[in-house]
């Protein structure tokens, strides 16, 4: 049962790429240089944020507080006076020596410092939406975050996030041994809730003595503030180095190190692998994505923009139409403009 004395907060990060003040500050640090890690796709706006709030209101009315993390801008339609909403500026929680930052890694690695944040919180990127009614137990049970646990190999390629995972796994292997970690939580790791393929992959990869990598679902992650504090205490140097980068760097760690730490330490409960549905928008899966959104059958759904997304404006129109089929009503977080 959900313990009301242990509230669950949501965090969402957002940037307004059309804000000229933000553009000018960003230009001071990046000039005209564009890289894969710092490209337009990281910032372009799908204009669907209102649907994120509508989904929270419809599917998770039990949430304690929503912390809206921003460079300083907010959407004109957002009711910033809503009592369930906490507007958080980067400078409110990120140490001064790391500012200004245009790296999601710096923002994410310092989330636990947000004033008033609950010990239990769920972190959303703005492309991850709730897609059906969910309960607190879908995210935390017995004070532990819900997750899917499985080993995987890190696939290194210039178009993947493998470099970040490599840094994350370095942290994990410096603090945990694979076999003792899995043995201590064997029922969690071999649970069929993780998916048959994931269990098989874990059994095969556990022949090694080190963690080769973790299966990663592109969904919202449940975290404990105490996990962040512990990792910062034990691995300050790599997190500090990451946060000093104004933009995402290939040697960065990222928020996944917190997720992986919870898995390696056994501080999690198993959630069904099917809870998360993610599609990286491409020509071969776009129609499927547009069909799935209105079905309201996934706990959460990730609409992931990538460099391979073409015909952006057309796809944005289709995505908005699909979301509007199930979330047409304005939420309490929207005001008249």
């Amino acid at each position: 049962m959900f313990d009301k004395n242990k509230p669950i907060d949501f965090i969402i990060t957002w940037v307004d790429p059309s804000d000229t003040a933000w553009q000018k500050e960003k230009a001071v640090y990046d000039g005209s240089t564009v890289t894969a890690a710092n490209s337009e796709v990281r910032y372009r706006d799908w204009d669907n944020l209102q649907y994120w709030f509508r989904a929270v209101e419809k599917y998770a009315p039990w949430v304690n507080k929503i912390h809206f993390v921003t460079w300083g801008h907010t959407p004109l339609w957002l009711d910033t006076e809503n009592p369930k909403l906490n507007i958080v500026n980067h400078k409110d929680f990120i140490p001064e020596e790391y500012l200004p930052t245009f790296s999601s890694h710096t923002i994410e690695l310092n989330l636990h410092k947000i004033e008033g944040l609950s010990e239990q919180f769920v972190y959303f990127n703005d492309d991850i939406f709730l897609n059906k009614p969910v309960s607190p137990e879908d995210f935390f049970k017995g004070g532990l975050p819900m997750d899917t646990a499985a080993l995987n190999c890190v696939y290194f390629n210039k178009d993947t996030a493998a470099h970040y995972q490599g840094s994350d796994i370095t942290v994990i292997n410096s603090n945990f041994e694979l076999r003792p970690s899995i043995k201590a939580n064997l029922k969690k790791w071999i649970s069929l809730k993780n998916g048959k393929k994931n269990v098989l992959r874990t059994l095969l990869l556990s022949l090694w003595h080190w963690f080769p990598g973790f299966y990663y679902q592109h969904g919202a992650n449940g975290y404990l503030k105490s996990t962040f504090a512990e990792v910062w205490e034990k691995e300050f140097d790599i997190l500090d180095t990451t946060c000093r980068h104004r933009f995402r760097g290939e040697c960065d760690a990222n928020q996944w190190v917190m997720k992986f730490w919870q898995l390696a330490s056994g501080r999690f409960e198993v959630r069904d692998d099917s809870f998360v549905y993610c599609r990286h928008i491409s020509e071969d899966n776009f129609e499927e994505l547009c069909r799935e959104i209105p079905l309201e059958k996934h706990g959460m759904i990730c609409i992931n923009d990538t460099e391979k997304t073409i015909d952006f404006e057309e796809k944005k129109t289709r995505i908005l139409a699909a979301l509007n089929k199930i979330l047409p009503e304005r939420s309490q977080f929207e005001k008249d403009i």
Side-chain angles (χ1 to χ4, degrees):
M1 295 295 292
F2 175 53
D3 187 346
K4 293 183 178 179
N5 295 317
K6 295 181 178 180
I8 299 172
D9 288 354
F10 286 176
I11 299 177
I12 180 170
T13 53
W14 181 76
V15 63
D16 178 5
S18 67
D19 187 327
T20 55
W22 175 83
Q23 291 173 359
K24 289 178 181 178
E25 183 173 73
K26 177 174 173 287
V28 170
Y29 295 93
D30 75 345
S32 59
T33 302
V34 177
T35 67
N38 179 37
S39 60
E40 177 192 4
V41 71
R42 300 294 174 192
Y43 305 108
R44 63 186 178 189
D45 193 357
W46 285 77
D47 296 325
N48 56 16
L49 184 65
Q50 67 271 31
Y51 293 104
W52 186 89
F53 281 95
R54 293 178 188 184
V56 171
E57 181 177 82
K58 181 178 180 180
Y59 302 131
W62 45 263
V63 68
N64 176 61
K65 182 77 75 172
I66 296 171
H67 302 272
F68 186 74
V69 177
T70 168
W71 175 84
H73 35 233
T74 56
L76 293 176
W77 51 262
L78 186 65
D79 181 7
T80 58
E81 301 300 318
N82 189 291
K84 291 189 77 169
L85 185 61
N86 179 31
I87 306 298
V88 186
N89 191 295
H90 293 171
K91 64 184 180 182
D92 293 336
F93 70 101
I94 299 175
E96 185 177 359
E97 59 266 29
Y98 303 148
L99 294 173
T101 185
F102 305 93
S103 169
S104 60
H105 299 162
T106 302
I107 298 166
E108 293 165 348
L109 290 173
N110 289 280
L111 291 174
H112 63 300
K113 299 172 184 175
I114 294 174
E115 185 175 357
L117 179 66
S118 296
E119 165 68 5
Q120 300 178 145
F121 68 93
V122 183
Y123 171 57
F124 289 80
N125 291 127
D126 63 5
D127 60 354
I128 299 170
F129 300 79
L130 296 179
N131 189 235
K132 71 175 183 180
V134 293
S135 70
E137 290 80 8
D138 286 320
F139 297 96
F140 290 90
K141 185 176 293 184
L144 295 176
M146 302 294 289
D147 209 340
T148 296
L151 298 179
N152 202 0
C153 293
V154 178
Y155 168 56
F156 282 88
N157 185 291
K158 64 180 179 180
D159 296 323
T160 71
H163 298 91
Y164 314 137
Q165 293 186 57
S167 296
D168 297 337
I169 298 303
T170 297
V171 169
I172 298 303
N173 281 321
S174 298
N175 289 274
F176 300 94
E177 292 184 40
L178 186 150
R179 290 184 182 177
S181 292
I182 289 184
K183 184 177 180 180
N185 297 279
L186 192 60
K187 290 184 179 180
K188 296 180 182 181
W189 283 94
I190 64 171
S191 170
L192 291 179
K193 289 182 180 179
N194 293 315
K196 292 181 181 179
K197 290 183 178 179
N198 285 331
V199 171
L200 178 59
R201 187 185 296 115
T202 295
L203 291 173
L204 291 173
L205 292 176
S206 61
L207 296 174
W208 278 262
H209 295 281
W210 59 87
F211 287 91
F214 293 83
Y215 167 67
Y216 185 80
Q217 295 174 300
H218 204 136
N221 294 314
Y223 288 123
L224 300 174
K225 281 203 306 185
S226 53
T227 299
F228 277 65
E230 181 179 0
V231 178
W232 266 98
E233 179 183 357
K234 294 187 176 181
E235 292 289 344
F236 175 84
D237 288 345
I238 188 171
L239 301 188
D240 175 67
T241 299
T242 295
C243 291
R244 291 182 184 277
H245 297 156
R246 300 292 183 194
F247 299 91
R248 301 193 341 171
E250 288 189 346
C251 294
D252 287 357
N254 69 358
Q255 53 126 342
W256 300 345
V257 71
M258 307 300 177
K259 170 187 173 75
F260 298 161
W261 190 283
Q262 291 176 163
L263 293 172
S265 64
R267 279 173 263 173
F268 71 96
E269 295 293 344
V270 182
R271 182 173 62 199
D272 197 293
D273 178 49
S274 64
F275 187 76
V276 179
Y277 173 89
C278 176
R279 287 296 178 271
H280 305 286
I281 299 175
S282 63
E283 293 307 296
D284 60 352
N285 67 24
F286 185 68
E287 293 301 326
E288 175 196 331
L289 176 61
C290 291
R291 289 194 300 269
E292 288 292 317
I293 292 173
L295 297 180
E296 296 182 283
K297 69 177 184 180
H298 306 287
M300 64 179 80
I301 191 165
C302 178
I303 306 169
N304 187 232
D305 192 6
T306 72
E307 287 82 0
K308 296 180 181 179
T309 303
I310 61 174
D311 299 324
F312 172 70
E313 292 298 332
E314 177 189 348
K315 286 184 169 55
K316 181 170 77 171
T317 299
R318 294 278 306 280
I319 292 295
L320 291 175
L323 288 168
N324 200 62
K325 286 182 180 179
I326 53 173
L327 300 164
E329 302 297 329
R330 194 168 65 180
S331 74
Q332 63 173 303
F333 300 100
E334 298 171 66
K335 62 182 181 181
D336 292 324
I337 57 174

